Amino acid sequence: MKIAIIGGGIGGTAAAYALLQKGHQVEIFEQAPQFGEVGAGIQITPNAVKAIKGLGLYDRFLTYAFYPKAVVGRNWQTAQENFRIDLGAEFREHYDAPFIHIHRADLLDLFVKELPPEVCHFNKACTGITQSGTTAEATFSDGTTVTADLIVGADGLRSVVRRTLFGDGDLRWTGHQCYRALVPTGGVVDYVNPDSTFWMGPNSHVVTYYVKGGDMVNIVAVTESSEWVAESWSTRASKDEMLADFDGWHSSLQDLFSRVDEVYNWGLFDRDPMETWTRGCVTLLGDACHPMLPFLSQGAAMAIEDGFVLGEALGVFPDDLDRALAAYEKERLPRTARVQLEARERGRTYHLPTPEEMAARDAEYARLQKEDPRKTGINTDWVYDYDPRQFAKRHAVLDEIAS
Ligand SMILES: Cc1cc2nc3c(=O)[nH]c(=O)nc-3n(C[C@H](O)[C@H](O)[C@H](O)COP(=O)(O)OP(=O)(O)OC[C@H]3O[C@@H](n4cnc5c(N)ncnc54)[C@H](O)[C@@H]3O)c2cc1C
């Protein structure tokens, strides 16, 4: 099958690799002059690691990895632990995959290095899609076009493919903005724990974790803002602004923030879940169809899962694109919709404004943790438990039952 992927981010490149592996003729059309990710970290949870295993890229993936010891929730002022999910051997065995921290550029590289150069086209900004019979055509801003049996819109939050197919309305400004920064430490230091740490305070939270094998600490510091803040990986903010917004927070954070060199500002947007992602022989993937708040650390994970499952679906129904796309959507849409909505809910619970509400939340976290050490109030068990490698098997069983 001839497949054109619009957008060469983490989702588009992962999908390209998955589809090439299945023997399809794949091309990526990226608007930028080259592939590129910003200088920031990303957490990759076991569910997405299972897709990476399914793609056969696990060993190389691990060479980029930092293994956090635990996911830990802390009080913003006292650093008291509110919950702790141990990420050691028992966790890895239970989910059949680890929880990893990685630099974004390394994650993108994982997929890009596997793509033959002739597959990748740059400076190709898609401006629209048309369909006729069993093929679709993408048009680019330079006037060129490409025709394919399947077009996949992996063009991110402001997807042109989505807009062309569905008309997409406005992005929802969530009222959250975040500072993000990387601090070189040259190794694990005493004022930053080797965990994925969630510091929760009134109307704000901060996530800190190591990347680059432990040589850098990634900071995502989220506050609420009544003013609209642009969504951009390149808008600069100042260290003083960040320090002022987190005045009174624990000294370890102040210490870390004071070492920041460059700070960026990012407005957080999302959308409601869609009813369908597919029209004819065009479908969507990643942020294009399920943009979400980053509070469950799942946007890239969902995009990787999407790419893997799309490859599997075309493998299960090699001669029936409609059925393959229907199966892809049936598998992916409900899961990603739930993650979108749960991520939104975390925006509320992480930011409870009063000491009483925070204390009640933390007591509930403790109660849940007692019930099941993997559970806690952030409730990620169902997210990590998913195994995209089981998609084909699940389908075979369901088909058998249906017939
Ligand atoms: C602060 C923050 C922290 C996050 N942390 C995590 C985390 O820890 N774990 C996690 O899993 N996720 C995380 N995410 C989410 C994650 O970054 C995104 O969900 C993920 O990058 C989406 O990948 P994508 O490939 O779908 O879209 P994108 O990365 O946006 O890629 C889209 C690509 O399409 C290209 N493009 C756009 N328009 C066109 C066009 N018209 N024509 C051609 N090309 C086009 C773009 O140039 C880009 O290369 C976080 C997000 C934020 C903001």
Side-chain angles (χ1 to χ4, degrees), residues 247-309:
D247 189 29
W249 286 55
H250 190 261
S251 58
S252 288
L253 280 178
Q254 296 287 332
D255 205 351
L256 180 65
F257 287 5
S258 69
R259 289 159 208 255
V260 160
D261 220 4
E262 290 176 353
V263 190
Y264 294 87
N265 217 203
W266 176 282
L268 294 175
F269 295 79
D270 72 359
R271 293 183 192 276
D272 288 329
M274 297 176 79
E275 281 173 18
T276 177
W277 298 348
T278 307
R279 285 264 193 275
C281 50
V282 185
T283 194
L284 301 171
L285 173 154
D287 274 7
C289 47
H290 46 67
M292 59 185 68
L293 282 163
F295 302 160
L296 275 175
S297 312
Q298 287 302 316
M302 291 299 117
I304 295 168
E305 286 181 12
D306 288 347
F308 178 76
V309 170

Side-chain angles (χ1 to χ4, degrees), residues 9 134 299 302 357 360:
T134 57
M302 291 299 117
E357 286 170 292

Side-chain angles (χ1 to χ4, degrees), residues 235-251:
T235 306
R236 290 287 187 106
S238 77
K239 178 159 85 177
D240 289 346
E241 267 177 273
M242 181 161 86
L243 280 165
D245 273 352
F246 289 89
D247 189 29
W249 286 55
H250 190 261
S251 58

Side-chain angles (χ1 to χ4, degrees), residues 79-208:
Q80 185 194 316
E81 273 189 33
N82 298 328
F83 64 82
R84 168 177 288 265
I85 305 172
D86 193 89
L87 301 177
E90 196 272 337
F91 176 95
R92 294 204 277 267
E93 213 167 285
H94 178 81
Y95 293 114
D96 189 29
F99 184 123
I100 291 297
H101 295 160
I102 185 169
H103 193 281
R104 280 174 176 270
D106 291 339
L107 180 61
L108 187 67
D109 226 40
L110 179 72
F111 305 116
V112 166
K113 277 211 171 122
E114 303 292 331
L115 302 178
E118 63 275 16
V119 161
C120 312
H121 306 278
F122 300 104
N123 297 308
K124 290 285 181 187
C126 178
T127 52
I129 305 279
T130 54
Q131 299 197 54
S132 157
T134 57
T135 58
E137 184 178 87
T139 305
F140 301 99
S141 58
D142 60 4
T144 59
T145 59
V146 66
T147 303
D149 304 309
L150 168 63
I151 292 183
V152 181
D155 49 345
L157 192 64
R158 297 182 187 278
S159 168
V160 168
V161 180
R162 174 183 178 143
R163 195 169 64 230
T164 310
L165 251 55
F166 300 99
D168 55 358
D170 289 334
L171 284 164
R172 197 182 71 99
W173 160 239
T174 62
H176 296 94
Q177 67 98 29
C178 66
Y179 298 100
R180 30 167 224 94
L182 273 179
V183 180
T185 52
V188 174
V189 288
D190 56 2
Y191 55 93
V192 186
N193 295 81
D195 303 316
S196 165
T197 308
F198 286 67
W199 299 79
M200 296 187 206
N203 305 312
S204 309
H205 78 281
V206 179
V207 186
T208 55

